[in-house]
Amino acid sequence: MKRMGLATYIVSCVGVATFMSHFWNPVSPGASVLWPIAGACAIFSIYGGIIGRAHTEDKHARAALLASAIIGGLVLLGLTLSAIFLFVPRM
């Protein structure tokens, strides 16, 4: 797997980790910092997974990049739901 494909997969794992860790204490200021980091990781994972999958020939790399794009989409969906339930009631 090339460097960019590996970086995309690693960023998708970091996105999942930051997404899950912002639930530990949702009223802390740290949750407000982890939320956009997880969003940036999710957007990069979707973009990098789709673009990288179009440029590679290796079956294993294509599968990892597809998994990165799917994970990024799920994290982005989860961030949307967490914004509705965690951040809107504060306002």
Side-chain angles (χ1 to χ4, degrees):
M1 186 181 302
K2 292 184 180 179
R3 287 186 209 177
M4 191 62 182
L6 184 61
T8 304
Y9 188 73
I10 290 171
V11 167
S12 70
C13 294
V14 169
V16 169
T18 56
F19 170 68
M20 293 306 292
S21 64
H22 94 278
F23 285 115
W24 284 66
N25 192 3
V27 294
S28 72
S32 299
V33 172
L34 291 175
W35 193 85
I37 292 172
C41 289
I43 291 169
F44 178 79
S45 297
I46 293 170
Y47 178 75
I50 292 172
I51 297 298
R53 192 171 190 278
H55 292 284
T56 188
E57 297 292 328
D58 185 24
K59 290 181 183 179
H60 298 291
R62 287 175 63 103
L65 290 168
L66 178 64
S68 298
I70 291 172
I71 289 170
L74 290 174
V75 168
L76 206 56
L77 178 66
L79 286 172
T80 304
L81 293 174
S82 73
I84 292 170
F85 294 115
L86 293 178
F87 294 129
V88 172
R90 288 190 204 175
M91 294 179 180

